[in-house]
Structure formats: structure tokens, C-alpha cells
Amino acid sequence: MKQHYDRGKLEQEFDNLPEASPIADIDPFKGDIIAMVGALALDYLDLDSGDTLLDIGTGRGRWAVAASPYCRKVIGIDISRRMLEDARSNIASAGVENVEFFRGSFENPCEEVNLSRMNINKVVAIYSLHHLTDPMKMEAISKLTQILKRPGRIVVGDIMWFDDPGKHRDAWDEVYFDDNELDHPASISFMKEVFQHSGANEIEVVQIHPLVGLISTTFL
């Protein structure tokens, strides 16, 4: 697998994403594997009325909108200006008032807003972390734990290897994996290591597919 991160190319990819692309759909009940992962991630967040949720790699904001009735506030960040424009249109159409969107990234989550002042105690990343190389994943999770108010929770639902991806090549399209310079999924063992290194007190792993899973972590 290639291990080179090109933020500019990734931004361009999402800025030019077709309206009908399933990668950044606005329907949380679409029925594909991303919708399945997202719905499970929201369950594992265990949101309540006092929570502030950070949705990192929010895309068009479908999970931010889906989470909004269950918590005090949702903050969505994304590197794509086009995705953020669509996300703001999405919340306007949905009549949602407790969601805000800002430009930001895993490597610089506070690009437009100081998230440390937002009392964020829940973080979700759905189908977004796999764009980072492994060293960047480690650094990004470390930064998120510094923002996170304790007790807090970080849930990642994404492409991650539970088995050799070469054995499941016929399922790559099904899970929206493309072995190109923009996709850098990690093994489940490495993903657990990332959170252990970042000081998670509890780590729960759920396999959804041989190539897709969820990690729910608690920080006390």
C-alpha cells in the first residue's frame, strides 16, 4: 500500500465529487456499508443532551444532522470548501440549529475555530481517517485527545484491515476502497495501538466486514 499523503489532491477530490457520489451522501439511511458504519458509530457514541460532538471529516454533514437531536451541539469540520457549502445547505434544509461547520482537518483540526474551547466530549470519524498515513493517524488521534473533555469518547468507523485486503479484492468496490494515493487504511492491530498509545482507558472493536470496522474508545 502506498504511504504518501497529498492534502491538496484530497481536497480537490472532494471539491469535485459528483452530487450523487455515495462517499458523501446526505442520507444516513442509504443502506450501503458507509450508512451501516455511521449508524453503528452513532449508537456507540451514546449521545445525551449535554454532549458536544465533533464530527471530523463531516463531508456533507449527514452524520452531524443525524446526531443533532440527541446532543447539545455538533461541530463538523472538513477540508473541502465544497463539502462545507453543501453541509450548510443541508442543515438549512433540515431546519437544524445546533450544528456548525468549519474548515479543518485531522492534521489541523483548529484551522478555523479553537475547538479546545468548545467543551467537546464526543468525537466521531466516519470513513475519513483512512485517508491519513499511519504516522499521521497516530498524530491526529493524539491531537484529538488533547481537545477531548474528560470523560470523553472517540468513535472511528472506517476501512480497516481485519484480514489481508488482497484476499478480498472483489469486495473493494463494495467498501469504497481504492488502492490509490488517497487511501491508506491500517490494520486493526495498528488502529488499536494508536488508541493505546494515546491513553484510551477502554477500547472496543467491532468487525463489520473483513475490511471495515469500528473502534469505540473511552478516555477518563
Side-chain angles (χ1 to χ4, degrees):
M1 300 297 171
K2 304 173 183 67
Q3 287 291 297
H4 172 68
Y5 176 77
D6 187 334
R7 171 170 170 159
K9 192 162 187 176
L10 189 62
E11 286 184 43
Q12 185 177 33
E13 175 85 4
F14 282 94
D15 282 345
N16 297 322
L17 210 62
E19 189 72 28
S21 171
I23 298 298
D25 204 287
I26 63 169
D27 182 1
F29 308 107
K30 182 95 175 168
D32 65 358
I33 195 159
I34 298 179
M36 186 187 308
V37 170
L40 189 62
L42 292 186
D43 283 345
Y44 271 83
L45 284 168
D46 192 25
L47 295 169
D48 68 35
S49 59
D51 289 338
T52 297
L53 172 67
L54 173 64
D55 177 16
I56 185 163
T58 191
R60 292 190 169 109
R62 63 172 154 173
W63 305 114
V65 171
S68 63
Y70 306 103
C71 55
R72 185 182 71 83
K73 188 176 184 64
V74 185
I75 300 159
I77 65 172
D78 203 277
I79 64 171
S80 167
R81 296 186 188 280
R82 156 81 186 287
M83 289 294 102
L84 291 171
E85 288 173 5
D86 290 352
R88 291 180 181 116
S89 296
N90 188 16
I91 60 169
S93 298
V96 175
E97 297 182 350
N98 63 335
V99 179
E100 290 185 283
F101 295 109
F102 301 95
R103 185 171 165 85
S105 62
F106 282 104
E107 60 270 31
N108 186 10
C110 299
E111 190 169 327
E112 277 192 352
V113 62
N114 187 349
L115 297 173
S116 299
R117 298 180 179 178
M118 298 291 189
N119 291 318
I120 292 165
N121 66 319
K122 302 283 175 74
V123 176
V124 68
I126 300 170
Y127 255 72
S128 52
L129 191 66
H130 74 273
H131 293 298
L132 302 185
T133 63
D134 287 356
M136 292 182 71
K137 291 183 183 74
M138 188 77 77
E139 185 177 351
I141 296 302
S142 177
K143 287 180 179 178
L144 290 175
T145 62
Q146 293 170 33
I147 292 168
L148 190 71
K149 180 182 176 182
R150 269 62 164 181
R153 184 169 297 178
I154 299 177
V155 178
V156 174
D158 210 333
I159 304 172
M160 52 187 77
W161 307 143
F162 289 83
D163 195 7
D164 178 358
K167 295 179 181 178
H168 303 274
R169 191 175 292 269
D170 58 346
W172 286 9
D173 288 345
E174 174 189 342
V175 301
Y176 303 109
F177 170 63
D178 188 354
D179 184 18
N180 63 22
E181 61 189 316
L182 300 181
D183 284 0
H184 310 294
S187 68
I188 188 61
S189 60
F190 179 79
M191 292 299 298
K192 288 175 68 175
E193 180 185 340
V194 166
F195 283 102
Q196 289 166 350
H197 184 268
S198 295
N201 299 97
E202 298 175 4
I203 301 174
E204 184 173 355
V205 174
V206 180
Q207 179 177 339
I208 299 168
H209 182 281
L211 307 180
V212 177
L214 179 140
I215 296 184
S216 175
T217 63
T218 302
F219 293 80
L220 301 177

